[in-house]
Amino acid sequence: MSTLTTTRDTATGEPATVVASAGTLTGLWPLTRLALRRDRIWWPAWIVLISLQVLAIAGAYESIFPTQQSRLILGSTMGNNTSLRAMYGPAFDLTSAGGFTAWRIGGFAAAFVALMSLLAVIRHTRAEEEAGRLELLRSAVVGRHAPLAAALLVTVGANVVLAAIIIVGLISENVPVAGAVALGVGFLGCGVVFAGVSAVTAQISENARPARGMAAAVLGVAYLLRAVGDSTQSATWMSWLSPIGWAQQVRPFAGERWWALALPLVVGVALIALGVFLEGRRDFGAGLRQSPLGPERAASGLSTAAGLAWRLQRGSLLAWTIGVAIFAGAIGSVANGVLDIFKGNPQLEQILRQIGGGQSLIDAFFAAVLPVMATVATIHSMQAMMRLRSEETETRAEQVLGTAVTRTRLLVSHLVHAVASPLILMTTVGLSAGGAYAASAHDVSKVWAVLGGALVLVPAMWVLTGVTMALIGTAPERSVLAWGALITFGVLGQLGPILKLPEKVLRISPFANVPQLPGAQLEILPLLALTSIALLLTALGINGFRRRDIG
């Protein structure tokens, strides 16, 4: 790439144009510093979230399973349960803190690392290109591949930092050094692979949303391949088709297979090279896949703000509904064997009851896992609300408001989806998980019990929607803090009981203030209080949005 600069001829004093040549990586370090500056909160949040979960489970192992007998029972209960193998992966060694940690959180952590990596690369490449900011940078002396290289450099560097924190943290828990290194480097390899995947998908589509969707679809297929391969004896080879499976097949703390680490390294480097190659074969601002031409006239439904919002939100809602239905069904199929899993493990049973309460272990199990699914489903609710903010920052909201559409109508068109999605998703969760459990238990009434346990969590989800709306309306530049609130509540719900945090601290999370159904008595007052808080926050955001400047 070349740039034109204007100087003055020393002899005549007339302007003269000089062509300065820029290499393909010119501007790499300034772009890297810019990416680090922009993500100074984003990266620490991801790294702390993932590493804290891994280290907390390793640190709590001895308190959960204090005796050798309780540890030996794990192999014949949890390790041999087909549904648990599908969820968590193969159990190579559950008699040590390291081996249990690698099994219990290894697959999920690898998936989170992959998600972190693919979002980061697209955030700094295709999303910047679509928004037009990358074009401004490219007007300076910036090489063709410098933005992609900077995004990959920062992403891989963040994965290295995460792996180092996990390794050092695990070693401080007195686990074998070799196993800690294998687990940390396995996560690093998974991150490199999906950084490469997103580098490729960023070249295919000219919009960031489809690029993220394609990369996320690859991650979903990878997790599904691992789940199927680990749960069936006849198709174990399918696990070897998944980058998540590669991280587990390294076998940390169970006779490490160091050669398996070469798989993600080779595939990751190959995908990155392919992404760079494809970037050089497309026009700037375009994708390898041309967007289809739209109809001559827009559909009648797009003539209103509500119709436009539905068109923008419907694809995401459908994908989330299908995803939570599949995952909830898997959870429900595990529930029927929960009594055998916890038999002989009073410490584990006690922790389960602390998290889920309930009058029986089955009820406690659902009361413990349903808030987790509600926390995950809240991501979509917040995304639906954040879409209003992205429409504003990308100046599309300004164009809509240039018509007869008022601010209130524009806001409400997105708010309706953010409020309705918790009801839709949690109904799906309750019916899917309850239906799977009822089928295995041969008791149709179980469907309604699980459905009730799912629906009581909706007011807590609305609180997060209200927080997001309040930030968008009153402090739009800090709306990202809503994700910090969700992460905090999720960590409190999952790790709080294990770390034995005070009850007052646990109650900070709205999910800890709903009745622990099924099994507990339904209390209306906490649900009304959470709904009122959500309404107040939403009203605050609406009032702020109507009064502040747009943009």
Side-chain angles (χ1 to χ4, degrees):
M1 148 177 203
S2 352
T3 60
L4 300 178
T5 59
T6 302
T7 61
R8 291 199 174 270
D9 189 286
T10 55
T12 64
E14 295 295 326
T17 300
V18 179
V19 179
S21 177
T24 58
L25 294 180
T26 300
L28 173 62
W29 297 118
L31 289 176
T32 301
R33 292 195 299 271
L34 176 62
L36 290 172
R37 167 69 179 172
R38 287 189 60 202
D39 292 344
R40 61 189 182 278
I41 297 176
W42 199 82
W43 281 121
W46 274 100
I47 292 173
V48 170
L49 173 65
I50 297 173
S51 60
L52 185 61
Q53 292 187 67
V54 175
L55 300 179
I57 290 178
Y61 177 78
E62 292 187 359
S63 62
I64 300 175
F65 308 105
T67 65
Q68 186 65 23
Q69 181 182 3
S70 63
R71 299 172 185 177
L72 292 174
I73 293 175
L74 292 177
S76 59
T77 54
M78 290 186 175
N80 292 330
N81 186 287
T82 302
S83 297
L84 288 181
R85 288 204 306 270
M87 288 180 61
Y88 301 126
F92 297 114
D93 179 20
L94 300 183
T95 61
S96 66
F100 180 80
T101 301
W103 171 75
R104 177 59 181 82
I105 197 65
F108 287 136
F112 274 111
V113 169
L115 181 63
M116 172 187 77
S117 300
L118 70 88
L119 290 176
V121 172
I122 294 177
R123 170 183 169 89
H124 289 287
T125 54
R126 176 54 68 180
E128 290 293 282
E129 193 169 338
E130 180 183 358
R133 290 186 290 267
L134 196 54
E135 185 174 5
L136 294 175
L137 293 174
R138 289 280 299 273
S139 64
V141 185
V142 174
R144 170 71 168 173
H145 301 302
L148 177 59
L152 291 169
L153 182 62
V154 171
T155 301
V156 174
N159 278 277
V160 170
V161 172
L162 173 62
I165 291 174
I166 290 176
I167 292 170
V168 173
L170 288 175
I171 293 175
S172 68
E173 296 290 344
N174 297 319
V175 302
V177 175
V181 172
L183 184 63
V185 176
F187 293 155
L188 170 61
C190 193
V192 171
V193 169
F194 279 92
V197 169
S198 56
V200 173
T201 61
Q203 315 312 318
I204 297 175
S205 174
E206 65 183 33
N207 300 110
R209 187 176 291 268
R212 279 192 293 263
M214 286 185 285
V218 174
L219 175 57
V221 171
Y223 196 89
L224 182 61
L225 287 172
R226 184 215 58 76
V228 174
D230 291 338
S231 60
T232 57
Q233 296 295 329
S234 58
T236 55
W237 54 270
M238 296 182 70
S239 297
W240 290 95
L241 300 178
S242 168
I244 298 175
W246 299 340
Q248 294 179 318
Q249 292 298 334
V250 176
R251 298 184 63 158
F253 307 100
E256 291 77 13
R257 294 170 172 167
W258 298 107
W259 56 268
L261 293 174
L263 290 173
L265 176 63
V266 172
V267 173
V269 171
L271 287 170
I272 290 173
L274 177 60
V276 173
F277 173 79
L278 294 177
E279 186 180 42
R281 295 298 183 275
R282 68 172 178 86
D283 293 333
F284 181 80
L288 295 174
R289 185 187 67 181
Q290 294 184 352
S291 299
L293 296 177
E296 293 182 2
R297 291 181 176 273
S300 58
L302 295 178
S303 60
T304 64
L308 177 60
W310 166 245
R311 177 65 180 84
L312 295 172
Q313 304 277 7
R314 67 183 184 184
S316 176
L317 178 60
L318 177 62
W320 271 89
T321 303
I322 295 173
V324 298
I326 295 173
F327 189 72
I331 293 292
S333 66
V334 177
N336 197 41
V338 71
L339 292 178
D340 294 332
I341 293 174
F342 291 101
K343 187 184 299 181
N345 292 283
Q347 295 82 9
L348 192 61
E349 179 180 341
Q350 181 182 2
I351 290 178
L352 180 65
R353 291 191 183 279
Q354 288 176 350
I355 298 176
Q359 299 176 356
S360 68
L361 272 181
I362 293 293
D363 290 341
F365 174 77
F366 277 114
V369 299
L370 287 175
V372 178
M373 302 195 69
T375 304
V376 174
T378 304
I379 295 175
H380 176 263
S381 175
M382 295 173 62
Q383 283 180 333
M385 199 68 261
M386 286 290 191
R387 187 60 191 256
L388 174 64
R389 176 59 182 164
S390 65
E391 291 293 294
E392 180 183 356
T393 57
E394 294 171 12
T395 70
R396 291 191 290 267
E398 188 174 342
Q399 298 176 34
V400 173
L401 292 174
T403 64
V405 176
T406 64
R407 291 194 184 193
T408 302
R409 287 172 57 190
L410 174 64
L411 184 153
V412 171
S413 66
H414 291 276
L415 180 61
V416 166
H417 294 278
V419 172
S421 68
L423 282 170
I424 296 172
L425 294 180
M426 294 313 293
T427 299
T428 303
V429 166
L431 292 176
S432 182
Y437 173 52
S440 60
H442 306 289
D443 186 353
V444 179
S445 65
K446 300 298 183 183
V447 176
W448 313 118
V450 178
L451 178 60
L455 290 178
V456 296
L457 292 161
V458 170
M461 300 169 69
W462 283 338
V463 171
L464 270 300
T465 302
V467 170
T468 308
M469 182 67 252
L471 287 171
I472 291 175
T474 60
E477 67 282 355
R478 294 182 174 84
S479 57
V480 70
L481 293 177
W483 296 114
L486 178 63
I487 292 172
T488 301
F489 298 154
V491 171
L492 285 175
Q494 291 304 295
L495 301 182
I498 295 177
L499 299 176
K500 299 180 179 180
L501 296 178
E503 183 70 15
K504 292 182 179 180
V505 176
L506 298 179
R507 290 289 180 179
I508 294 174
S509 171
F511 298 103
N513 292 278
V514 300
Q516 294 179 317
L517 300 180
Q521 183 178 0
L522 177 61
E523 299 178 15
I524 301 299
L525 186 59
L527 301 181
L528 292 176
L530 290 172
T531 304
S532 299
I533 293 172
L535 287 173
L536 288 173
L537 290 170
T538 303
L540 176 65
I542 292 174
N543 184 65
F545 186 81
R546 294 173 60 184
R547 292 175 178 274
R548 69 172 174 83
D549 293 334
I550 296 296

